Amino acid sequence: MPRITARTKLATVSALTALGAFASMGTATAAGPVLNGGWAPSTRCPVDATGMLSSDGLDKAPQCVVSYSLSGSIKLGNTTVTTGKTNLQIGVVQNADGTNSVVAPAGGALIADSATVPGGLIGLMCPSDIPFITDICRQLSDGRLNKITATMESVGTPSEFDQIAGVLTDQPIVTIPVRIRLQNPFLGDNCYIGTKSKPILLRPKNLDAPAFGVERFDGDGTANEEGDMSRLNLLGSTQYDDSFAVPGATGCGLGLLGIIDAAVNLKTGLPSAAGKNKLTLNDTQTFLTGLFAPGVLAPDAGRVFSQNWHSAVN
């Protein structure tokens, strides 16, 4: 059996307390332009993506979709924490046959703000009656060793967007592939829950029906009841997903024969099958923005849509 050094022990216990990794779920502060009026929510809409620009307005019509929440919670395995802001933005090309294709912004579709677990790692495992753990607790008085951050990252383009599900309850609205990166001096640079090839697949749906409203505005975002642009507002619903599975953590530690991977998974209850995890997003605000009559602008609807977005940038 390989000799486990004091450094290895400390790394292992730090990873064992990876419940604290959910102290930070990314940052919803990615820089974006400030947009005028009706365009305001769509700061990251990929209006210049090829698929959006090439929409002719007849067979294909471009649309910006934004959904955000200021608070919520996430349960992964046996871990539940309160989360902060989440912001999902995608471009959608609606096809005449009722299907659609999704376009993700260059920086990723989903951005999530930070959340905090009270007490950090020390609060989760100290004090302890186990001498070995007690010794480690003393060493974790260094806040830099105690803190683990986690960043939720988009890994690929969302899919299966269903506009009708946005006004219904208990119907998946969109599938969002993500992974969670765990960061701590002892976890190395490649510690993830979920991977690009095997991501966590979130499928949020409405728990209750949102309030429904429609706005019209000019191309530059200025309110106008007869404007060329329209925005569908779906407001106030709690969204949830309790159907996703969560894989085990991989790539954690300093090449310690999988010891830290196993420790992370043991503490957090991973992998965790579908039905044992849950995402809740409170008071979601969803906006679907498009041309009011895209066919009138054929074959240049996508280019006009993009030009309108740029004209609204302050």
Side-chain angles (χ1 to χ4, degrees), residues 208-264:
D208 45 14
F212 179 92
V214 177
E215 296 182 30
R216 294 276 297 278
F217 54 94
D218 292 331
D220 67 355
T222 302
N224 181 354
E225 293 182 356
E226 297 181 354
D228 295 334
M229 302 296 302
S230 67
R231 193 182 79 192
L232 177 64
N233 303 327
L234 304 173
L235 310 178
S237 173
T238 297
Q239 292 185 353
Y240 75 100
D241 180 18
D242 55 6
S243 66
F244 61 95
V246 180
T250 58
C252 304
L254 306 173
L256 300 175
L257 304 177
I259 293 173
I260 293 184
D261 287 348
V264 169

Side-chain angles (χ1 to χ4, degrees), residues 13 30 151 170 236 269 282:
V13 174
T151 304
D170 301 316
N282 301 324

Side-chain angles (χ1 to χ4, degrees), residues 50-89:
T50 300
M52 299 279 281
L53 283 173
S54 63
S55 300
D56 62 3
L58 294 175
D59 294 326
K60 299 178 181 295
Q63 187 178 60
C64 296
V65 178
V66 178
S67 186
Y68 71 83
S69 171
L70 298 181
S71 66
S73 64
I74 188 168
K75 178 179 183 292
L76 303 178
N78 56 25
T79 301
T80 301
V81 298
T82 299
T83 59
K85 293 180 289 185
T86 60
N87 184 289
L88 173 71
Q89 297 200 31

Side-chain angles (χ1 to χ4, degrees), residues 27-34 43-44 89 107 111 309:
T27 56
T29 56
V34 176
T43 56
R44 297 187 292 117
Q89 297 200 31
I111 295 176
W309 185 91

